[in-house]
Amino acid sequence: MYLRMIRNDLLRNKLISFTTMLFITAATALVSLVSILTINLVGSIDTLTKQTQVPDFLQMHSGDLDQERLENFAAGHENVKAYQVLDFLNIIGSKIQLGDNNLIDNIQDNGFTTQSPYFDYLIDMDGQPIQPAVGELYVPIGYLKDGTAQIGEQAIIAGKEFIIAGFLRDGQMNSPLASSKRFLVNEKDYQELQSEGTLEYLIEFQLKDRSRINQFETAYAAEGLETNGPTLTSSLFKIINGLSDGIMIAIILLVGFLIVIIAFMCIRFTLLTKIEEDYREIGTMKAIGLRLADIKKIYLAKYAAVALAGCLSGLMLSFIFSDPLLANIRLYMGESQYASWSMLLAIFGSIVVFLLVIGYIHFLLRRFRTISAASALRNGSPGEKSSRKKYPFLSKNRLLPINIFLGVKDVLSRKKLYATMLIVLLLSCFIMIVPWNTYQTVSSPSFTKYLGFGELDLMVSMYPSDELTENERQVDDFLNKDATIAQVVQITSKSLKAKKEDGSEEKILVELGDHSAFPIEYNTGKAPAQPNEIALSSLNAAEFGKQVGDTIEIITENGLESFIVSGIYSNIFNGGKTAKATFTAESAPTMWLNYYIKLDNADQIAIKTEEISQALPFVKVTDTHNHKQQVFGTTMASIKTAANIALIVALFITGLVSLLFMKLLVAKDRSAIAILKAIGFTNQDLSKQYAARGIFILVIGVTGGSILANTVGETIAGMAISSFGVDALTFVSHPFIYLNFPILMLFVTLLATNLGTSQAGKIKIAENVKE
Amino acid sequence: MKKIIDGQRIHKSFTAEKESIKVLRDVSVTIYEGEFIAVMGPSGSGKSTLLYTLSGMDTVDSGKVAFIHHNLTECGEAELADIRRQQMGFVFQQPAFLKNLTIIDNIILPSMRDNRKQVKALTNKAQQLLERTGIGDLADRMTHQVSGGQLQRAGICRALINEPKIIFGDEPTGALNSKSAQEIMDQFLQTNQEGTTIMLVTHDAKVAAQSERVLFMKDGQIVDELQLGKLSNQAIENRTERVTKKMLQVEM
Ligand SMILES: Nc1ncnc2c1ncn2[C@@H]1O[C@H](COP(=O)(O)OP(=O)(O)OP(=O)(O)O)[C@@H](O)[C@H]1O
Ligand SMILES: [Mg+2]
């Protein structure tokens, strides 16, 4: 008997059943997708880490290397498992030709190397270390993804011919976020290339006990070993590898969570409407002696059927959709070792969604208890009467046209009912705005300010050499003569030592110069202005345990000097550990010299880059806009895709829920509609009333959604963005988000309202005016 | 005498469970201005359906309905609504009110659509109507806070707010006790004396007896008619007896 009742009911309310199922499907699909993606991402990163045997500690170094001293240190330190020094032969982009593509505009540090002897392998697509034959070139996987290179093409490196034999995965430099890329060649070819580039060393250690990495770092620094370059650790590699896909997963998670809530709202609304409709029947059933549990079972069974169908199709969908989404992870990092687990977890997630739905329905059905047979039969549903509000009075209204007044009044007097639609619109608005604002923020020019970069157009860099002073003079002359340069400032990065709390000395990289010229955003405090002030990157502030206003002792040429910490900023470059100050330290070793340049006309960047490179062959010119694009391009593209998907999903939800809601509302309001028609209101009047209700809720929903997006949303997005190393962030938004999105929603809502209420005109007065 | 409603050869059928039921079969009715007409007949004979078709709230399958100079069978939905709102009034068996408005707001509702700016004057007028029906102190109550009889009186006030040419009532006293029913009837009679045409469907012989002319329906047709003339001070009992007698004849 139950079965027949369920079937009849489902067929009678096709739209409602279908929509409810659709939302459960979407919720399940998203929850299950998040499980699959997360497990696979984590698994793939682990696989990659294992197969390549990523070093636990990496010191980059350019300049002379004392091999013997390093070996002694490695042999003498109890925690060292393995040690090696790898070559990284940096060849400038213009000398690298891959098929038809030249890497001249590429900002990566492209280096050539041979296969590592002990660990940190460069592996092929099957996870095996590659041993290239003579004349073979293996290219970083990223260049396959962006279409720069193809297998079988010819490559010309500094005039020498190679065949692209395949692609390689690199445990530390795979991600577009890593600033270097490694190409792999045969030992013999490498020897021939050696004169064509500048050599850097990767000094690598694997540790027996990874948890004591900090002690090892300190020991290495205390030993006074080679440190001319950034220091990196294995946890950073993992973060960099996972970041792009991680953000995508975070956005799916957010949307998934909101859709679960929306599914609940739908169930709540349809179920409560149904109960209200069936109020008398429930009363009758009670009156003739049916048990409450029996009545409940009928409702529960119906929704269980819908939920089951939804969960199953959602699970199926997630299996289908996970493949394209996993493609990127698979390409960069290979198969996950937990692939089978992800299925199980996805199924588990679906079961959780199913149980949540059933539990929620149980919770909603508790109001059955309060239905008294007698009052149900006598009075009908109570919800209708008690909560009705008198205000505002029609008899006091002169302002609003009658249809708008009636629409607004209806919303005000049935707040609980409209809360459903309000919450859905609010969440939709939230889903629309937050990912877009995140994208806007990350892609805005000022975002670089949060990364520790001012808004500059070009950066001219020079590394120390014997001719440094002479070169410096040449650069100064050149830049000062150029009339198209709006502003230029020289920043010298010096390696100094600072005292820690415990009295030990730690290397600190200080950027010296005028930091007010290209201001950056400080998490707290401000730029150093006085010679006795210093600003620390957040990583350094944490390392030294300093806050704004504290003092830090640094060894300068005057001996031990105290500096006041004037500000703390975010920085992900140079290992994230930097400082900014204005004092001078002639005798301290210079790491590099940067000129920050702003042009009169930003259109001239490309030309100017070329011009400076020609005139000053010994400097490296970086187009900062291009740089940002290449570092964050992929990540931004995936955020943008996610944002667009979120936009479409939100609009779809808005439309679907509005449609459903309005349809149910019309069914519920049959008698009120009949009354209005009987006393002479036209169908058009009714349409206007429903549109007024829709717009009224929309206005509140959009306002609330925007506020929510700017508070809670900003916090959530901030947490996601903080993985870039940016800690304090204010949303950068574009006016079009707050202008166009509501208009889009308005359009969709009105369309849905119109469609949903088209039946109102067909309601027969005679049949419906009676009740 | 001027015709206000002229229904000619009206046919109307409903389909229920794939079966077509003929509810009105070749019905012709003429109502003159200022008349007070009652319609009686057994349950299911088509009384309500006749009332809805004559007032343009329901369509006919064939035949013609004219209201003054409007041909209702050819009017569009919006035009029909305008006519209903501006020139007709309705009172139903169950009080048909919007539950989220107060009594007085419900009463001014039809008029507010076109005369929003005169809300003061409208409210005063509605208040006067309420006072006249004896429920002036209930103006600001919600509809569930008053009794059925009081609500029905408010229904008449709403029907009157636009000063209609004709008022239709479908068993307006059907749900009331005899005292309340008589109070409503007094209201209708007074309105009729002021010149408004009235057409009531009723099962109550005592109600029908107070009208001028009674139509009797059976199986979708008007089978008989009783001319009573204007109600004067002559004994109501006598009229009621005549109606009852006729009614029994018809139902045989
Ligand atoms: N919408 C409808 N669909 C199908 N049949 C209908 C519909 N409305 C009315 N009927 C049928 O038409 C017939 C006449 O109905 P109507 O309401 O006019 O009767 P009535 O004379 O007013 O009866 P009562 O005195 O009980 O109110 C009835 O048999 C009824 O079942
Ligand atoms: Mg009837």
Side-chain angles (χ1 to χ4, degrees), chain B residues 7-10 24-29 50 217 220-222:
Chain B
Q8 291 300 325
R9 320 207 58 163
I10 301 169
L24 295 181
R25 294 188 292 178
D26 200 24
V27 178
S28 298
V29 202
L50 178 67
M217 287 194 77
Q221 287 180 312
I222 296 182

Side-chain angles (χ1 to χ4, degrees), chain A residues 140-206:
Chain A
I141 187 76
Y143 292 132
L144 170 65
K145 177 79 197 298
D146 65 15
T148 310
Q150 246 113 50
I151 288 188
E153 282 181 335
Q154 194 185 48
I156 301 170
I157 313 297
K160 193 170 154 38
E161 283 183 19
F162 288 91
I163 287 291
I164 299 179
F167 293 94
L168 62 86
R169 296 197 180 111
D170 182 335
Q172 31 166 313
M173 303 181 185
N174 237 352
S175 162
L177 292 171
S179 60
S180 313
K181 292 285 166 283
R182 286 193 282 190
F183 290 74
L184 182 64
V185 293
N186 185 277
E187 181 72 33
K188 185 168 157 287
D189 293 324
Y190 181 76
Q191 298 300 339
E192 288 170 29
L193 281 177
Q194 209 150 23
S195 57
E196 299 290 339
T198 47
L199 189 60
E200 273 182 60
Y201 298 102
L202 307 179
I203 305 165
E204 303 184 336
F205 295 88
Q206 277 195 322

Side-chain angles (χ1 to χ4, degrees), chain A residues 674 677-678 761-770, chain B residues 10-15 23-24 46-66 71-77 80-81 84 88 90 92 168 170:
Chain A
K677 286 175 82 163
K762 300 208 181 82
I763 285 178
K764 285 257 182 351
I765 303 169
E767 288 163 36
N768 293 292
V769 84
K770 292 171 191 161
Chain B
I10 301 169
H11 285 262
K12 171 93 184 162
S13 50
F14 288 111
T15 30
V23 181
L24 295 181
K47 305 181 295 291
S48 298
T49 310
L50 178 67
L51 188 123
Y52 284 118
T53 51
L54 288 182
S55 60
M57 281 203 279
D58 212 341
T59 53
V60 297
D61 295 344
S62 71
K64 190 183 153 202
V65 180
N71 183 353
L72 295 189
T73 32
E74 268 159 28
C75 281
E77 178 269 332
L80 284 173
R84 276 204 296 280
M88 296 176 175
F90 296 89
F92 303 94
F168 296 95
D170 190 0

Side-chain angles (χ1 to χ4, degrees), chain A residues 384-386 388-390 392-403 405-406 409-411 413-414 671-673 675-685 688 761 764-767 769-771, chain B residues 12 14 52 57-59 77-82 84-85 90 92 94-102 104-106 108-110 112-114 116-120 123 140-142 144-145 158 162 170:
Chain A
E384 294 288 301
K385 290 173 188 164
S386 47
R388 304 258 182 189
K389 289 269 159 24
K390 281 187 178 181
F393 289 114
L394 179 62
S395 43
K396 302 260 156 58
N397 165 65
R398 200 191 296 264
L399 192 70
L400 294 175
I402 181 83
N403 291 319
F405 177 88
L406 288 177
K409 167 102 194 191
D410 194 62
V411 176
S413 59
R414 294 195 283 179
S671 82
I673 291 170
I675 294 166
L676 282 167
K677 286 175 82 163
I679 61 172
F681 279 80
T682 64
N683 288 346
Q684 210 194 355
D685 289 330
K688 283 183 193 162
K764 285 257 182 351
I765 303 169
E767 288 163 36
V769 84
K770 292 171 191 161
E771 298 163 50
Chain B
K12 171 93 184 162
F14 288 111
Y52 284 118
M57 281 203 279
D58 212 341
T59 53
E77 178 269 332
E79 203 180 334
L80 284 173
D82 288 344
R84 276 204 296 280
R85 190 176 64 250
F90 296 89
F92 303 94
Q94 245 104 42
F97 282 92
L98 293 192
K99 292 182 191 124
N100 60 359
L101 294 182
T102 59
I104 194 156
D105 282 358
N106 260 298
I108 62 173
L109 182 61
M112 275 294 275
R113 186 185 177 281
D114 308 313
R116 172 158 51 99
K117 296 287 182 282
Q118 283 95 44
V119 60
K120 262 261 159 58
T123 314
D140 287 334
R141 298 252 185 111
M142 297 303 274
H144 61 93
Q145 293 168 328
R158 182 178 64 188
N162 269 339
D170 190 0

Side-chain angles (χ1 to χ4, degrees), chain A residues 330-344:
Chain A
R330 288 214 182 100
L331 178 69
Y332 272 96
M333 288 173 272
E335 283 295 336
S336 158
Q337 50 182 330
Y338 310 130
S340 50
W341 279 102
S342 75
M343 288 273 201
L344 279 182

Side-chain angles (χ1 to χ4, degrees), chain A residues 27-169:
Chain A
T28 316
L30 291 171
V31 167
S32 143
L33 257 186
V34 168
S35 327
I36 294 177
L37 292 181
T38 312
I39 287 278
N40 274 293
L41 179 63
V42 172
S44 289
I45 292 175
D46 275 1
T47 309
L48 184 73
T49 309
K50 245 185 224 152
Q51 286 176 341
T52 59
Q53 300 205 29
V54 175
D56 296 317
F57 177 86
L58 168 70
Q59 174 66 54
M60 293 190 166
H61 178 75
S62 55
D64 294 336
L65 186 85
D66 188 341
Q67 196 94 19
E68 205 183 310
R69 192 173 55 160
L70 276 168
E71 260 163 42
N72 287 337
F73 168 77
H77 198 280
E78 39 84 30
N79 198 12
V80 173
K81 187 165 96 186
Y83 146 82
Q84 68 187 6
V85 177
L86 299 180
D87 283 4
F88 180 84
L89 183 67
N90 200 334
I91 294 182
I92 60 167
S94 59
K95 288 193 191 170
I96 303 174
Q97 179 80 30
L98 303 173
D100 299 333
N101 298 313
N102 190 280
L103 295 190
I104 184 158
D105 288 330
N106 187 287
I107 50 87
Q108 296 279 355
D109 287 330
N110 291 296
F112 289 76
T113 186
T114 56
Q115 187 57 272
S116 327
Y118 307 120
F119 57 93
D120 190 17
Y121 299 120
L122 301 173
I123 58 173
D124 61 17
M125 299 299 120
D126 299 322
Q128 298 303 317
I130 305 168
Q131 300 298 344
V134 175
E136 282 187 346
L137 175 70
Y138 283 83
V139 178
I141 187 76
Y143 292 132
L144 170 65
K145 177 79 197 298
D146 65 15
T148 310
Q150 246 113 50
I151 288 188
E153 282 181 335
Q154 194 185 48
I156 301 170
I157 313 297
K160 193 170 154 38
E161 283 183 19
F162 288 91
I163 287 291
I164 299 179
F167 293 94
L168 62 86
R169 296 197 180 111

Side-chain angles (χ1 to χ4, degrees), chain B:
Chain B
M1 272 201 294
K2 269 204 320 203
K3 289 179 188 171
I4 185 161
I5 295 245
D6 192 14
Q8 291 300 325
R9 320 207 58 163
I10 301 169
H11 285 262
K12 171 93 184 162
S13 50
F14 288 111
T15 30
E17 309 287 325
K18 287 175 195 141
E19 237 181 282
S20 175
I21 325 160
K22 292 206 166 85
V23 181
L24 295 181
R25 294 188 292 178
D26 200 24
V27 178
S28 298
V29 202
T30 308
I31 303 172
Y32 297 94
E33 254 179 29
E35 261 196 309
F36 192 141
I37 286 202
V39 183
M40 293 194 80
S43 188
S45 55
K47 305 181 295 291
S48 298
T49 310
L50 178 67
L51 188 123
Y52 284 118
T53 51
L54 288 182
S55 60
M57 281 203 279
D58 212 341
T59 53
V60 297
D61 295 344
S62 71
K64 190 183 153 202
V65 180
F67 171 69
I68 311 178
H69 55 273
H70 305 278
N71 183 353
L72 295 189
T73 32
E74 268 159 28
C75 281
E77 178 269 332
E79 203 180 334
L80 284 173
D82 288 344
I83 292 171
R84 276 204 296 280
R85 190 176 64 250
Q86 290 156 0
Q87 310 190 47
M88 296 176 175
F90 296 89
V91 185
F92 303 94
Q93 174 170 12
Q94 245 104 42
F97 282 92
L98 293 192
K99 292 182 191 124
N100 60 359
L101 294 182
T102 59
I103 301 275
I104 194 156
D105 282 358
N106 260 298
I107 291 171
I108 62 173
L109 182 61
S111 195
M112 275 294 275
R113 186 185 177 281
D114 308 313
N115 312 308
R116 172 158 51 99
K117 296 287 182 282
Q118 283 95 44
V119 60
K120 262 261 159 58
L122 272 177
T123 314
N124 286 338
K125 187 170 163 191
Q127 188 64 40
Q128 270 170 20
L129 284 169
L130 283 169
E131 309 268 336
R132 227 177 66 178
T133 24
I135 50 169
D137 49 337
L138 304 181
D140 287 334
R141 298 252 185 111
M142 297 303 274
T143 54
H144 61 93
Q145 293 168 328
V146 300
S147 76
Q150 291 165 332
L151 208 52
Q152 204 59 304
R153 281 192 247 178
I156 295 177
C157 295
R158 182 178 64 188
L160 289 173
I161 191 80
N162 269 339
E163 296 167 12
K165 297 212 163 57
I166 182 165
I167 292 180
F168 296 95
D170 190 0
E171 300 183 39
T173 60
L176 305 178
N177 62 28
S178 58
K179 182 167 169 284
S180 303
Q182 193 48 52
E183 280 167 2
I184 297 293
M185 275 317 286
D186 291 343
Q187 201 63 50
F188 277 120
L189 284 167
Q190 190 185 343
T191 310
N192 182 242
Q193 257 152 37
E194 287 161 15
T196 310
T197 314
I198 289 176
M199 178 180 182
L200 296 187
V201 170
T202 183
H203 281 285
D204 189 341
K206 198 167 168 235
V207 167
Q210 300 177 54
S211 72
E212 243 178 289
R213 180 154 68 108
V214 188
L215 305 178
F216 293 93
M217 287 194 77
K218 192 180 176 183
D219 297 335
Q221 287 180 312
I222 296 182
V223 289
D224 213 337
E225 183 176 324
L226 186 64
Q227 281 286 355
L228 291 169
K230 285 268 181 227
L231 180 68
S232 50
N233 286 335
Q234 68 170 280
I236 180 85
E237 285 80 13
N238 181 25
R239 289 169 74 112
T240 313
E241 220 166 275
R242 283 172 67 196
V243 172
T244 315
K245 220 155 117 199
K246 200 76 171 181
M247 188 71 220
L248 286 172
Q249 267 176 25
V250 168
E251 284 186 13
M252 289 299 249

